[in-house]
Amino acid sequence: MSKFDHILYGREGERYLLLGNEAIARGCIEGGVDVVTAYPGTPSSEIADTLSQLASKGGFYMEYSTNEKVAVEVAGGAAIAGARAVTTMKHVGVNVAADTLATLAYVGIRGAFVVVSADDPNAWSSQNEQDNRLYAPLFSIPCIEPSDPQEAKDFTLYAFELSEKLELPVMLRTTTRISHTRGPVVFGPIKERRAKGFVRDRARFVMIPAHARTRHKVLLQKLEEAQQIAENAPINKVHITDSKVCIVTSGVSYGYVADAIKQLGEDIAILKLGFIYPPPVQLIWDFIKRFEEVIVIEELEPYLERIVKQVIAEHQDRIVVHGKNLLPRCGELSIPTLLKNIAHKLGKKVEESKQLLPIKVPKRPPVLCPGCPHRASALVLKRVIGDAVATTDIGCYALQVLPPLELGDVLVCMGASIGIACGIAVATGQRVAAVIGDSTYFHAGLPGTVNAVYNKHNIMIVILDNGTTAMTGHQPHPGTGIRGLGDRGVRVLLEDVVRGCGVRNVKVVDPYNLKEAEKAVRSLWERDEVTCVIFRRRCVLLEREKPRTIYRIDQEKCTKCMSCIRLLGCPAIQLVDGSVVIRRELCAGCGVCAQVCPSKAIVKT
Amino acid sequence: MSAVRNIGLCGVGGQGILFLGQLLANAFMRRGLDVRVAEIHGMAQRGGSVLVELRYGTRVHAPASHGDYDILVALEYIEGLRQLHKLKRDGVLILNLDVIRPLAALLGEDVPALSQIYPILKQRVGKLAIGNFTKTATRVASPRATNVFVAGVLLSLGILPISVEDVEGALRVVSPPRFLEVNLRALHAGLAREEVEVR
Ligand code: SF4
Ligand code: SF4
């Protein structure tokens, strides 16, 4: 029994409280999915995590691939051979997969292929808030967008059917508030599996220039077909009233619109698009033409707004379109934002909210967990490299940047730490440390490493190997040797990989042993060639269930110098009534604080 | 009931706030209500301020209310103060007096004392339930069950359209079986308002 069993075994008509991502997982199951691939990334991770738990029981294949490009290749390949496949990733993952996706649209698929892009307006857990709806026209693939957990499931199913019909990849675009909001979802029936098999067709599947030119034309024909389907798609919803102003929206924005309008006590005409590329231009025109003004409500880019303006430009210029002139182009929407910015257009006044002023309290940014090995490795690194530049990468260890550790000077995207470190080393003539996590290293660290060795860059690569993909929810990766199906694959050792890339000096150290680690790192730092240190210690969250010795502070010996707090910032160390104490229930027993206390006041319990 | 009601659930990452949201949402669903629980995952969740918004009503559309709470539940004191301005006038506040100091507070920044903010609370809050819930939960069950204890306290106020049976049933759905016993104990201690002051 896993806590996800109901998603596989739940029957038609039953209703469950599901996270949007779990609803998408159920949609895949109802759609008769054969192959699931993913690289984890917030806010997409739970789709793949759920399917990983259910794959063996459900009789479908699942893998965590090394990166999104590989994930699209594996799933796309399966779909070319007739399977129904899905790949899930976060928005920036599509950047990694873009090369493959752009041409996969040309060759198309024979089964079905749904690419889930989970965007992150407000950058809750991302390095940017790019709007992946813009990728759909670039790749020429259909894009659909659900607006609540129920639709997340239903539209996934629809995406599979659409993909199968058009023989094209289809993008299902969600945002954080769709992926990470729970709501009731009513289940439907589960489809039969398709027959699979590869059928040779070089003119279609081998994209030499001559074939590509032909396939581009085919792709455009398919888009026209998709356009016709979009015009009558049941996933678009029209709500007509006799209001003067109407609203065009889609996805999560619809939820805010619906509740904000309710709050204003108005009944406004709304066109809610589920099928957003190719846009149903006739449907849009038939809807908006009876109104004087259109307000387009969407988060981030004015994607729908441009389409509406274009539709109007093609017909006349009587109707005024509002969109990003009223609404923000960054971050998320909210009901208060809508009320403040559009109520006047609907002839309504909103009362100034009589909210309290916020009380001033200390900030609480996210922190590394108590006992996190990244805390110890940051301390060791700082001791060795001092003020030298260190680049860092995507993962929990990005929190090393915050006080009190303050390690990490540049962070851009997955795997970029190594290449950027090389660039800084070239420009400054100084040795640079490139900090990168284990999963991130497999994802995109290898090409950078080869490049550094080949071009003789003066960097030290620091791999923080905590044996998991921690930040996204502890998914396995090649270094763990565990597969997405939960069984054993082949464990790929990081040190072998790094040596294989040509790095001659590689050392594996335990960050919990500060002295030993420091000695080893120093020997690697004091060279002028590419060297690599691997800090190996499992993520504390994976060790939670194991028995542990926790630490306490001997109040007789403690001089209240605050070194432990100032150097480490472990959240288990607290001040209670003026005394420095360790909170038992939080301490993970790493023993690192005991090694930094100058008075030897921290002891085992 | 036509209006959508908003509950803010806040605390420090790791206190089981997501769990609390799921527990209550499942209970509402048992009553045939529509719900949305806006969660925060990934980086934003690691030991920092966590805020989950739960909305319920006959039909709910927007995933999050971004404030405007009828009820604010704080599993930690500083986080309660941080979100207090999002509570509606005369709303209900459930405030754990247990303090987990972030680094800034350990290195000297002030945490306003209860006596300092009491005038604001008296003026703004309709109903207030306070106590060191962590301490009590530790005594009767486990520190990890503070979230469920607080669910009991909330339920005891009689302001939610759900029954004890609804919450118990929901607990059986969302709680890992080996913690069910402990969680039920915490729920009932909360319902009995052990060491909780209500004004
Ligand atoms: S041993 Fe010290 S540093 Fe490690 S978790 Fe416990 S209190 Fe924190
Ligand atoms: S470093 Fe040692 S002496 Fe200094 S405050 Fe911490 S426990 Fe006390």
Side-chain angles (χ1 to χ4, degrees), chain A residues 545-563:
Chain A
E545 307 300 326
K546 290 204 182 139
R548 56 177 196 243
T549 320
I550 55 180
Y551 283 72
R552 66 179 181 84
I553 297 180
D554 183 339
Q555 296 301 329
E556 309 257 283
K557 288 194 190 156
C558 175
T559 59
K560 302 199 174 77
C561 69
M562 306 288 277
S563 302

Side-chain angles (χ1 to χ4, degrees), chain B residues 82-121:
Chain B
R82 192 188 311 285
Q83 306 297 349
L84 186 63
H85 67 282
K86 299 182 187 165
L87 182 67
K88 280 185 192 161
R89 184 174 282 279
D90 294 328
V92 175
L93 173 65
I94 301 185
L95 181 63
N96 187 357
L97 294 178
D98 185 45
V99 183
I100 303 175
R101 281 166 206 271
L103 188 68
L106 291 171
L107 296 179
E109 252 183 66
D110 268 351
V111 177
L114 187 61
S115 57
Q116 270 172 280
I117 57 151
Y118 201 72
I120 309 179
L121 294 184

Side-chain angles (χ1 to χ4, degrees), chain A residues 170-457:
Chain A
V170 169
M171 185 194 281
L172 180 78
R173 189 246 190 184
T174 75
T175 51
T176 302
R177 299 290 186 174
I178 298 300
S179 283
H180 285 166
T181 294
R182 257 170 231 278
V185 176
V186 180
F187 285 10
I190 294 174
K191 268 210 180 121
E192 291 292 312
R193 292 278 163 71
R194 271 176 62 94
K196 291 168 275 288
F198 179 75
V199 184
R200 177 165 294 122
D201 182 352
R202 295 204 171 93
R204 174 167 173 191
F205 293 120
V206 182
M207 278 311 94
I208 54 174
H211 295 169
R213 286 177 211 121
T214 322
R215 289 304 299 179
H216 194 183
K217 289 185 195 123
V218 174
L219 178 58
L220 295 180
Q221 280 160 15
K222 285 190 187 181
L223 272 186
E224 241 164 72
E225 199 185 325
Q227 156 86 49
Q228 289 316 309
I229 296 173
E231 295 290 355
N232 299 302
I235 61 174
N236 299 321
K237 290 269 182 290
V238 184
H239 173 68
I240 298 278
T241 70
D242 55 11
S243 56
K244 282 205 180 69
V245 178
C246 70
I247 288 175
V248 176
T249 186
S250 76
V252 71
S253 309
Y254 170 73
Y256 295 124
V257 169
D259 280 352
I261 297 296
K262 197 162 34 164
Q263 227 160 295
L264 287 176
E266 280 290 290
D267 191 16
I268 311 279
I270 299 177
L271 171 61
K272 166 176 167 289
L273 292 174
F275 206 129
I276 60 166
Y277 187 82
V281 284
Q282 193 58 46
L283 176 75
I284 293 172
W285 174 245
D286 290 343
F287 173 76
I288 58 175
K289 68 181 176 199
R290 42 188 132 203
F291 303 97
E292 284 164 22
E293 287 185 71
V294 185
I295 307 179
V296 184
I297 295 176
E298 57 196 322
E299 291 179 336
L300 305 178
E301 291 305 296
Y303 170 80
L304 295 175
E305 183 179 337
R306 284 183 192 135
I307 291 168
V308 170
K309 282 181 170 157
Q310 202 178 327
V311 167
I312 289 174
E314 275 162 22
H315 290 89
Q316 54 77 61
D317 56 8
R318 174 182 60 89
I319 306 167
V320 182
V321 183
H322 303 284
K324 292 296 158 182
N325 58 330
L326 301 179
L327 295 162
R329 197 163 164 177
C330 302
E332 298 179 296
L333 288 178
S334 67
I335 296 172
T337 311
L338 287 191
L339 293 179
K340 198 173 98 208
N341 294 304
I342 67 163
H344 65 283
K345 284 283 159 207
L346 309 177
K348 287 273 172 173
K349 242 203 164 119
V350 271
E351 329 160 24
E352 277 295 310
S353 78
K354 293 182 287 289
Q355 284 203 332
L356 267 179
L357 286 177
I359 299 175
K360 198 178 166 316
V361 286
K363 284 211 176 72
R364 192 192 306 270
V367 286
L368 296 170
C369 302
C372 175
H374 298 327
R375 181 173 290 110
S377 39
L379 193 72
V380 170
L381 273 173
K382 285 293 261 195
R383 282 182 183 174
V384 174
I385 71 167
D387 225 21
V389 175
T391 58
T392 188
D393 223 294
I394 306 282
C396 287
Y397 49 94
L399 296 174
Q400 291 173 328
V401 173
L402 302 176
L405 302 167
E406 298 184 308
L407 175 83
D409 303 302
V410 184
L411 185 163
V412 178
C413 69
M414 294 286 284
S417 57
I418 299 178
I420 292 175
C422 294
I424 295 174
V426 167
T428 62
Q430 306 284 317
R431 189 159 174 79
V432 178
V435 179
I436 183 167
D438 44 354
S439 190
T440 309
Y441 190 81
F442 283 113
H443 176 282
L446 272 61
T449 306
V450 173
N451 182 64
V453 170
Y454 167 56
N455 289 304
K456 299 200 281 185
H457 288 299

Side-chain angles (χ1 to χ4, degrees), chain B residues 58-71:
Chain B
T58 36
R59 184 77 181 93
V60 185
H61 291 100
S65 62
H66 295 85
D68 208 23
Y69 306 135
D70 298 280
I71 302 169

Side-chain angles (χ1 to χ4, degrees), chain A residues 459-478:
Chain A
I459 65 165
M460 176 174 76
I461 299 170
V462 180
I463 305 180
L464 303 178
D465 178 11
N466 60 359
T468 186
T469 317
M471 191 170 81
T472 49
H474 298 95
Q475 295 81 3
H477 61 64

